[in-house]
Amino acid sequence: MGKKEAKLADIGEFGFIESIREGCLFSPSRLLMGIGDDCAVIGPYEDKVFLITTDLLIQDIHFILTKTTPFHLGRKAMAVNLSDIAAMGGIPLHAFISVAFPRTADLAMVHGLYSGIKLACQTHKVNILGGDTSASPERLFINVAIVGEAPVDEVLYRKGAMPGDGIYVTGTLGDAAGGLKMIRCEATGPPMKASFLVDAHNNPFPFLEAGRLIARSRLAGAMIDISDGLISDLGHVCRASGAGALLDHPSIPLSEELKDLGKINGFDPYELALYGGEDYRLLITVPEEHCIQFEGLFSGGTPCPIHRIGEMTTEMGIRMAMEDGRVRDINLGGFDHFH
Amino acid sequence: MGKKEAKLADIGEFGFIESIREGCLFSPSRLLMGIGDDCAVIGPYEDKVFLITTDLLIQDIHFILTKTTPFHLGRKAMAVNLSDIAAMGGIPLHAFISVAFPRTADLAMVHGLYSGIKLACQTHKVNILGGDTSASPERLFINVAIVGEAPVDEVLYRKGAMPGDGIYVTGTLGDAAGGLKMIRCEATGPPMKASFLVDAHNNPFPFLEAGRLIARSRLAGAMIDISDGLISDLGHVCRASGAGALLDHPSIPLSEELKDLGKINGFDPYELALYGGEDYRLLITVPEEHCIQFEGLFSGGTPCPIHRIGEMTTEMGIRMAMEDGRVRDINLGGFDHFH
């Protein structure tokens, strides 16, 4: 669920997850999805299912305490989980917050963190129903679990994409990764543009309204949130659906800010758009016959812009149609291999 | 939910939890219990409610990696959460496991931990439906969240105790704290007796069968699991119920092992029984008119022994009737003050 950084040297992340997935079900009744999507899906109960997701944020792995504020951190810890609920088309209901505070934590840090968490809860009408709190020997740890719900026949999974479906995203890509470059002092630029990117990294927006709109319309095939980067998360949709994808390079949506800062600092904004993480846009696949109606849902940019970036294919793997007409295989390992 | 060690210097644990509890509910429909019991209770859906609990275990705060095995640790991480489900009278259904592994973790540690987790899941028919995994800069962190269910009219809360109710526990007290003394090399003794106590600490047993039996019987008033120590957890029941308690000193159940090792090492086993944590016994209050029938549920020691240790009182606070007939106030601060 969401971002997983553990690179256990010998088996790697996917090997690790696969090794965990074996033998996890001992009571499979009323269970629609276990490990393998943005949320687990249990039910139905009455005409609804419950969606459950959990994400861990660790100091110096997921954030640097001197480069953000406890308030932003609390809000982001909620947002990354709410984004998983959005990606299934759900409505978030309840949050459970576990925090381990360094012994040196002062009350301002504690209250800042919970202010951010509670603002996100208030904005999205989510209850805080429990959690756990502990001292931590050194670093701040935050684990959030969220329970949501959705009508049983409106849940969208990764596995629902079909060859020929249009592929859409709910906004520009790569901004959060650009912001991370600023935060890490690997890039600089005009303050207004730099702060736009830093804000994209520190204050991601969970697309709950768009997710519900899409789920309710029943026009889409599959949905996922882009937490690990476009190629990585589209790859999840492809594998789950048994299909491939052909992206259209000129259609990849980039912000002017990212393009400008790429020019100033000499980095390729497309590399960040394809492989940078933490944008938390939704990626949606839509059968061709529904695409016009689907695009109409977002007329006038409400509730968010929508960009068509390619289509699903019968051929497995991800490819990219370039401006010059060439079609290149996309290497999952990194953009360098792609050039 | 369960054990919370955070001692934020200026406001203390209870001040901290109280400061979090303010402004946590933004959508209170279908919600029977938020923060303040062993589990949150949501519903009803059909004729059932969902019980949700989460607990955090941190290396060098909750466990010392060289003094246990990853297998035992995984099993215990599950047990402490399952005990919270047991304490509400519930049936556990689904687990969500977040783990941050130190970069130095080898595969044997990873597989040992998950073997322990999965054995507990298999034993209690609990699905693992998700979680998150990350690297950790130094220490191992494990957060488990469990979803359970119970018939809506069978859930037992801390707040259901009445003056005159009998107070019962499902086994001997203080063994886990005695085991911790062994683990910390603060006490020694004959290997068989020492290992009994160490096992009580490393391998707590969640009283799920007893919890369901009690809930189904509808004979009890309140229930809680003893994670922080008898006095601390009985104090939760007293405060939630607006009542006090009178304990009977000779009735406090001690194992022969704890008594013997107390004698050998010069510690008072009652101190551990009253203030030591992590026994994970259930504490139950039962209206006097139901007590005989209640005790009959456990005839022949099935599914566990049951011990009556006192009764609830209208007078607030916790007191102890001693062997010599004196009644002493119990100081929540520690057993030293009590003598």
Side-chain angles (χ1 to χ4, degrees):
Chain A
M1 309 203 167
K3 208 161 167 58
K4 295 180 184 65
E5 278 76 0
K7 309 286 180 196
L8 291 170
D10 298 334
I11 54 172
E13 180 185 352
F14 285 107
F16 171 74
I17 294 171
E18 282 308 311
S19 77
I20 294 173
R21 281 179 73 165
E22 297 279 314
C24 282
L25 299 185
F26 300 103
S27 174
S29 77
R30 293 215 187 187
L31 176 60
L32 298 176
M33 175 58 69
I35 296 170
D37 215 306
D38 290 296
C39 297
V41 184
I42 63 176
Y45 293 89
E46 298 168 9
D47 57 347
K48 293 201 168 135
V49 295
F50 291 98
L51 309 169
I52 308 181
T53 183
T54 187
D55 263 304
L56 186 59
L57 292 184
I58 303 173
Q59 185 179 350
D60 298 327
I61 300 284
H62 299 89
F63 60 89
I64 298 167
L65 211 45
T66 53
K67 301 286 189 177
T68 184
T69 68
F71 173 83
H72 281 89
L73 195 56
R75 200 166 50 171
K76 182 165 177 173
M78 289 299 297
V80 302
N81 279 280
L82 291 169
S83 181
D84 284 322
I85 300 286
M88 310 292 288
I91 300 161
L93 297 174
H94 310 297
F96 298 83
I97 317 282
S98 296
V99 186
F101 288 106
R103 295 188 194 280
T104 54
D106 57 17
L107 278 182
M109 188 226 258
V110 174
H111 287 143
L113 184 75
Y114 277 90
S115 296
I117 288 170
K118 286 184 180 178
L119 181 66
C121 287
Q122 185 176 21
T123 304
H124 301 291
K125 296 194 170 50
V126 175
N127 300 314
I128 301 172
L129 294 193
D132 199 1
T133 310
S134 172
S136 171
E138 294 97 7
R139 287 181 171 76
L140 180 61
F141 279 65
I142 309 166
N143 192 83
V144 175
I146 294 191
V147 177
E149 68 175 17
V152 60
D153 51 356
E154 291 182 6
V155 179
L156 283 164
Y157 298 90
R158 298 177 177 181
K159 66 186 175 190
M162 298 280 286
D165 287 4
I167 303 170
Y168 293 86
V169 293
T170 59
T172 54
L173 299 173
D175 296 330
L180 187 60
K181 276 187 180 291
M182 304 289 147
I183 290 166
R184 286 181 173 160
C185 304
E186 296 167 7
T188 58
M192 285 297 287
K193 293 182 178 178
S195 71
F196 172 87
L197 298 184
V198 169
D199 198 52
H201 185 270
N202 281 343
N203 188 20
F205 177 79
F207 283 80
L208 285 160
E209 197 185 340
R212 277 303 303 147
L213 179 70
I214 293 163
R216 212 165 42 228
S217 77
R218 304 187 193 201
L219 296 170
M223 191 151 67
I224 191 171
D225 74 326
I226 304 179
S227 53
D228 293 341
L230 172 63
I231 298 306
S232 177
D233 288 310
L234 177 57
H236 293 316
V237 171
C238 288
R239 276 186 298 277
S241 300
L246 176 65
L247 296 173
D248 181 50
H249 193 264
S251 301
I252 303 295
L254 300 181
S255 68
E256 291 305 314
E257 288 83 354
L258 187 68
K259 283 192 275 191
D260 288 355
L261 284 165
K263 259 180 227 152
I264 293 167
N265 293 281
F267 65 76
D268 180 354
Y270 286 100
E271 184 174 331
L272 304 194
L274 299 188
Y275 297 105
E278 304 208 79
D279 281 319
Y280 298 104
R281 308 303 189 191
L282 298 179
L283 181 149
I284 311 105
T285 73
V286 183
E288 196 54 50
E289 65 270 28
H290 295 155
C291 283
I292 290 172
Q293 199 184 343
F294 177 80
E295 291 174 19
L297 297 175
F298 298 87
S299 60
T302 305
C304 62
I306 194 92
H307 305 277
R308 181 172 175 137
I309 60 170
E311 61 181 53
M312 300 298 292
T313 59
T314 48
E315 189 181 337
M316 297 296 288
I318 301 175
R319 290 168 305 140
M320 177 85 83
M322 305 304 291
E323 283 81 346
D324 62 7
R326 289 180 306 161
V327 172
R328 309 295 300 259
D329 285 334
I330 296 278
N331 189 313
L332 287 169
F335 198 66
D336 288 347
H337 302 264
F338 161 57
H339 276 298
Chain B
M1 304 196 172
K3 207 162 167 62
K4 293 177 188 66
E5 279 76 0
K7 308 288 181 199
L8 292 171
D10 298 336
I11 54 171
E13 180 184 352
F14 285 108
F16 171 74
I17 294 170
E18 283 307 312
S19 77
I20 294 173
R21 280 178 74 164
E22 296 280 314
C24 281
L25 300 185
F26 300 102
S27 173
S29 76
R30 293 214 187 188
L31 177 60
L32 298 176
M33 177 57 69
I35 296 170
D37 213 306
D38 290 296
C39 297
V41 184
I42 63 175
Y45 293 89
E46 298 167 8
D47 56 345
K48 292 198 168 139
V49 295
F50 291 97
L51 309 169
I52 308 182
T53 183
T54 186
D55 264 304
L56 186 58
L57 293 183
I58 302 173
Q59 185 179 349
D60 298 326
I61 299 283
H62 300 89
F63 61 88
I64 298 167
L65 211 45
T66 54
K67 301 286 190 178
T68 184
T69 68
F71 173 82
H72 282 88
L73 195 55
R75 199 166 52 171
K76 182 165 177 174
M78 288 298 300
V80 302
N81 279 281
L82 291 169
S83 181
D84 284 323
I85 300 286
M88 309 293 289
I91 301 160
L93 296 174
H94 310 296
F96 298 82
I97 318 282
S98 296
V99 186
F101 288 106
R103 295 187 194 281
T104 53
D106 57 16
L107 278 181
M109 189 227 258
V110 175
H111 287 143
L113 184 74
Y114 277 90
S115 296
I117 288 170
K118 287 184 179 178
L119 181 65
C121 287
Q122 185 176 23
T123 303
H124 301 291
K125 295 194 173 47
V126 175
N127 299 314
I128 302 173
L129 294 193
D132 198 1
T133 311
S134 173
S136 169
E138 294 96 7
R139 288 180 169 76
L140 180 60
F141 279 67
I142 308 166
N143 192 83
V144 176
I146 294 190
V147 178
E149 68 175 17
V152 59
D153 52 356
E154 291 182 6
V155 180
L156 283 163
Y157 298 90
R158 297 175 177 183
K159 67 187 175 191
M162 298 281 286
D165 287 3
I167 303 171
Y168 293 85
V169 293
T170 59
T172 55
L173 299 173
D175 295 329
L180 188 59
K181 276 188 180 291
M182 304 289 146
I183 289 167
R184 287 181 173 159
C185 304
E186 296 167 7
T188 57
M192 286 297 288
K193 293 182 179 180
S195 71
F196 172 86
L197 298 183
V198 168
D199 199 51
H201 184 270
N202 282 343
N203 188 18
F205 177 79
F207 283 81
L208 285 160
E209 197 184 341
R212 278 301 304 145
L213 179 70
I214 293 162
R216 212 166 41 230
S217 77
R218 303 184 195 205
L219 296 170
M223 190 151 66
I224 192 171
D225 73 326
I226 304 179
S227 54
D228 293 341
L230 172 63
I231 298 304
S232 176
D233 288 310
L234 176 57
H236 292 316
V237 171
C238 289
R239 275 186 299 277
S241 300
L246 177 63
L247 296 174
D248 181 51
H249 192 263
S251 300
I252 303 295
L254 301 181
S255 68
E256 292 305 315
E257 289 83 354
L258 187 68
K259 284 192 275 191
D260 289 355
L261 284 166
K263 258 180 227 153
I264 294 167
N265 293 281
F267 64 77
D268 180 355
Y270 285 100
E271 185 176 329
L272 304 194
L274 299 187
Y275 298 103
E278 304 208 76
D279 280 320
Y280 299 103
R281 309 303 189 192
L282 297 180
L283 180 148
I284 311 105
T285 73
V286 183
E288 197 54 51
E289 65 270 27
H290 295 155
C291 282
I292 290 172
Q293 198 182 344
F294 177 80
E295 291 174 18
L297 295 175
F298 298 87
S299 61
T302 304
C304 62
I306 194 92
H307 306 277
R308 181 173 175 136
I309 60 170
E311 61 181 52
M312 300 298 293
T313 58
T314 48
E315 189 180 338
M316 296 297 288
I318 300 175
R319 291 168 304 140
M320 177 84 84
M322 305 304 293
E323 284 80 347
D324 61 8
R326 289 180 305 161
V327 172
R328 310 296 299 260
D329 285 333
I330 296 278
N331 189 314
L332 288 170
F335 198 66
D336 287 348
H337 302 264
F338 161 57
H339 275 298

